[in-house]
Amino acid sequence: PQSPRAFEPAYIEHGKMVRFGGVPMPEETVEDPTLKHNFKGHKGVVHACAFKPNLKQLVTASEDHSLMIWSPGVPNARAYKFSGHTDAVTAVAYSPDGTTIASGSRDRSIRMWTPSIVGLYEPKALKSAHGGCIRSVSFSRDGTLLVSAADDKTVKIWGAPEGKFLHTLSGHINWVRCAEFNHDNGLIVSASDDKTARLWDVRGQRCAFIYDDFKAPVRCAKFHPDGAAIATAGDDRTVQVWDIRSQKLVQHYHAAHGDRVNSLSFHPSGDFLLSTSDDGTVKVWDLREGQLFYTLNGHDGPSTCAEFSPDGSFFASGGADQSVMVWKTNFDVVLKKHAGATDVKLPAPFTAEAPILKDDVRAAPVMSTERAMEGLKAGSTPPLKENKNKEPVKTPVKKPAAAGGDGAIPEALAQTLGHIVGQLDVLTKSIGLIEERLSAILVSA
């Protein structure tokens, strides 16, 4: 197996982006993100944020038990604060049609809110939605479903907007930090403090695959907009991108941050990835080039959340400093460059027609759940199973027949192949260790 690529990070020097051994980026590609708003109003850590699909509003969730709705496009607009939860609000999401806001809280409830001219009307409160703090809520792309993740180690699926309970997905053995649907509701990805990320088959209500190659809790997992890959990050300070079909690690950003990574968000084009961290930075990763694009130092203290707007023209970030920042991306030049690129460092694009975002820049084409699941069917890498001690282990592989029979493999050949695979695994781990040491040298230089 091939070792994952390790990419040298870029950095800002005298206001210009520098990458690969100090070589400046072409001047025409440098379009700095611009801070448009720095909102103050919360009295506690900002845990989550979400844009309304029409971009006219931004909702944030905070430790102060409240939601706040901001109007970034209206100068001097008044912000609205809404209460209802009895503890910290830790998760928030807008429905795709903008008619409903879902929030999750440490009080173990999920609340569905309907924005109106006079405020937020709360038609449904699920007061015992989970048995622990709710860490994540996310609508399906068609708005008919809601998925939640919580400290009770479960992922739950609800009908939206009525809030009818549908299914519980069990398997994680520690807190579940986040969960979200892919584009056609066929898959859910979740991340947990049990040091795994899981893919769930929604229709079969089962775990389809477990990513267990982590040495620390996984705090976030997100689907790439094309549905062919996921990004993960967590307490090990790295950011990874995985190909769903092959289950292989295709991008690995060592030492992506100086502290644990709190959140991830894909640009709708699929070309950029936002990450936030306790190191106080918000970083933008150029996935086509496979390296860091920008480091933004705006928050005083940990940056806790960040989200791209639905059209990718803005992103918002929140932090422990109780502030909410709205940035203009200014990625147009780079997106147009990517549109004509042929050297792509991500899984190959797919045949589905992609919608135009703006100025002939297209969103990522999408792949069906059925095609994504092809790599998880019989004959491919099997999903992991759990033993009685709840320790994730790989499914045992049957020994090949010694001789005779259809498809039988001679025992000597099987042993030789097993030895080769073992040596390749050692080589892969050695390369990873060398990459980590080189990264440490670069950081200290």
Side-chain angles (χ1 to χ4, degrees):
Q2 295 181 341
S3 62
R5 298 185 183 91
F7 298 105
E8 181 179 355
Y11 58 94
I12 293 178
E13 184 177 87
H14 305 302
K16 294 185 178 181
M17 190 61 61
V18 178
R19 63 167 59 137
F20 292 127
V23 179
M25 290 174 61
E27 191 67 31
E28 66 272 16
T29 68
V30 180
E31 292 287 334
D32 297 338
T34 305
L35 180 62
K36 305 298 289 185
H37 302 281
N38 186 1
F39 294 126
K40 301 286 186 178
H42 280 298
K43 303 300 181 184
V45 176
V46 179
H47 288 297
C49 58
F51 279 95
K52 190 174 184 178
N54 64 9
L55 307 184
K56 292 183 178 180
Q57 292 180 327
L58 172 73
V59 62
T60 53
S62 172
E63 186 74 19
D64 63 11
H65 305 190
S66 74
L67 297 172
M68 291 193 75
I69 294 183
W70 316 84
S71 301
V74 182
N76 304 316
R78 177 185 174 185
Y80 293 90
K81 190 172 186 175
F82 301 98
S83 301
H85 287 289
T86 59
D87 207 332
V89 188
T90 49
V92 70
Y94 252 112
S95 64
D97 61 5
T99 61
T100 305
I101 294 173
S103 60
S105 170
R106 197 175 293 147
D107 66 12
R108 305 182 180 185
S109 74
I110 294 174
R111 294 174 183 260
M112 301 285 196
W113 311 78
T114 301
S116 67
I117 297 175
V118 296
L120 285 182
Y121 167 63
E122 183 187 346
K124 188 69 176 179
L126 311 175
K127 294 184 178 180
S128 299
H130 280 273
C133 175
I134 296 170
R135 300 288 177 177
S136 165
V137 291
S138 180
F139 283 95
S140 60
R141 298 291 177 90
D142 62 6
T144 62
L145 299 171
L146 181 80
V147 62
S148 58
D151 287 359
D152 62 4
K153 308 174 189 177
T154 67
V155 174
K156 292 189 177 183
I157 303 173
W158 311 82
E162 71 277 3
K164 179 182 178 181
F165 169 74
L166 299 177
H167 307 296
T168 295
L169 302 175
S170 300
H172 282 295
I173 58 174
N174 207 330
W175 294 356
V176 188
R177 294 285 181 172
C178 74
E180 75 165 17
F181 289 100
N182 70 339
H183 68 283
D184 64 2
N185 309 346
L187 293 173
I188 288 174
V189 65
S190 62
S192 170
D193 280 7
D194 65 9
K195 303 179 184 179
T196 71
R198 293 184 178 228
L199 277 179
W200 303 88
D201 176 1
V202 176
R203 297 178 182 92
Q205 300 177 39
R206 66 181 183 90
C207 180
F209 193 79
I210 302 176
Y211 298 88
D212 69 339
D213 297 331
F214 303 99
K215 298 178 180 179
V218 188
R219 302 183 72 86
C220 42
K222 296 286 184 179
F223 277 106
H224 188 277
D226 68 10
I230 60 169
T232 58
D235 288 7
D236 63 1
R237 308 180 182 187
T238 66
V239 174
Q240 302 100 345
V241 180
W242 306 81
D243 187 328
I244 290 177
R245 295 165 299 171
S246 66
Q247 298 92 51
K248 290 183 178 179
L249 183 62
V250 292
Q251 290 190 354
H252 189 181
Y253 299 91
H254 293 284
H257 282 275
D259 209 326
R260 71 183 187 187
V261 183
N262 292 317
S263 72
L264 296 171
S265 177
F266 277 105
H267 188 273
S269 68
D271 290 356
F272 300 98
L273 181 69
L274 275 176
S275 61
T276 65
S277 169
D278 276 6
D279 66 10
T281 64
V282 177
K283 293 191 176 185
V284 183
W285 303 89
D286 185 338
L287 301 181
R288 286 295 185 106
E289 295 293 332
Q291 58 193 343
L292 181 63
F293 191 52
Y294 278 104
T295 296
L296 303 170
N297 296 280
H299 291 283
D300 183 11
S303 56
T304 53
C305 59
E307 289 287 336
F308 276 111
S309 63
D311 72 344
S313 59
F314 293 91
F315 62 88
S317 62
D321 58 2
Q322 306 175 13
S323 68
V324 177
M325 298 183 179
V326 179
W327 308 77
K328 192 174 189 312
T329 57
N330 298 324
F331 292 165
D332 294 17
V333 172
V334 182
L335 285 169
K336 289 178 180 178
K337 176 186 174 184
H338 286 175
T342 57
D343 182 19
V344 181
K345 296 182 174 67
L346 283 173
F350 303 95
T351 57
E353 183 68 10
I356 295 176
L357 291 177
K358 55 187 295 187
D359 300 328
D360 294 327
V361 174
R362 291 185 177 273
V366 295
M367 179 180 62
S368 68
T369 293
E370 288 72 18
R371 185 167 180 185
M373 293 286 284
E374 285 177 359
L376 305 177
K377 292 180 179 179
S380 65
T381 304
L384 306 182
K385 293 184 178 180
E386 296 173 358
N387 62 15
K388 295 180 180 179
N389 296 322
K390 300 296 184 180
E391 294 290 338
V393 296
K394 291 188 176 181
T395 304
V397 178
K398 294 182 180 180
K399 293 183 179 180
D406 294 336
I409 301 175
E411 186 174 357
L413 177 58
Q415 291 178 351
T416 301
L417 291 174
H419 177 72
I420 293 173
V421 170
Q423 292 300 310
L424 288 173
D425 185 57
V426 172
L427 179 61
T428 299
K429 292 180 180 178
S430 298
I431 292 173
L433 181 61
I434 293 171
E435 290 171 345
E436 290 179 1
R437 291 178 178 176
L438 287 174
S439 297
I441 293 171
L442 288 172
V443 171
S444 60

